[in-house]
Amino acid sequence: MIPVTVVYVLNGPNLNLLGTRRPEVYGTTTLSILEELCREEATRLGLDLVFRQSNHEGLLIDWIHEAGARVKAGESIGAVFNPGAYTHTSIALHDAIEGTELPVIEVHISNVHRREAFRHHSYISPIARGTIVGLGVDGYRLAIDALHRMSSR
Ligand code: DQA
């Protein structure tokens, strides 16, 4: 059997509230519908999807370590990551990505640069392969596609 390559999609705090939390900012797509959209895109590209959400920074760090190890083992192309508010606060997430050399595309549903000043700085962007902001949940699909293109270069 040929092993299938995995793409991770990791979501940080409060993204379990997608669909009901500030729909004027984040839209009405729920997290489970978003998972389905990501699964469709992954399947189209011949990838397996690991889709997770946590409100806990340490668990997100553990998942980054797991994904990084799987990339090194040749089993994964990397992770699409929406760190939620931890984007703007977490040196620990920055260090986890840097330390594992995990290829990450950082995604934000809203355009953080049009919002409050505290959302303008990201600890993740300097160690991400790329960032997608403000394109709604469509950003996830585009990020999966971008990771796939990068891995096939
Ligand atoms: C977000 C933007 C963050 O500033 C915010 O804390 C979130 C969601 C986005 O997807 O637009 O929780 O990451």
Side-chain angles (χ1 to χ4, degrees), residues 13-15 21 26 82-85 87-88 107-110 112 115 119:
N14 299 307
L15 290 163
R21 170 196 182 202
Y26 299 115
N82 184 346
T87 307
H88 319 299
V107 170
H108 299 287
I109 296 166
S110 64
V112 285
R115 300 180 63 194
R119 295 185 204 276

Side-chain angles (χ1 to χ4, degrees), residues 54-120:
S54 177
N55 296 322
H56 303 274
E57 191 175 15
L59 192 51
L60 292 164
I61 291 168
D62 289 345
W63 290 342
I64 286 165
H65 292 180
E66 175 190 309
R70 292 196 70 184
V71 170
K72 293 220 160 109
E75 297 170 3
S76 173
I77 58 169
V80 173
F81 189 25
N82 184 346
Y86 288 144
T87 307
H88 319 299
T89 63
S90 182
I91 298 168
L93 284 171
H94 168 109
D95 284 354
I97 296 165
E98 188 180 53
T100 56
E101 297 173 313
L102 175 68
V104 161
I105 307 281
E106 176 187 353
V107 170
H108 299 287
I109 296 166
S110 64
N111 183 350
V112 285
H113 302 293
R114 290 185 67 170
R115 300 180 63 194
E116 303 96 321
F118 63 80
R119 295 185 204 276
H120 296 177

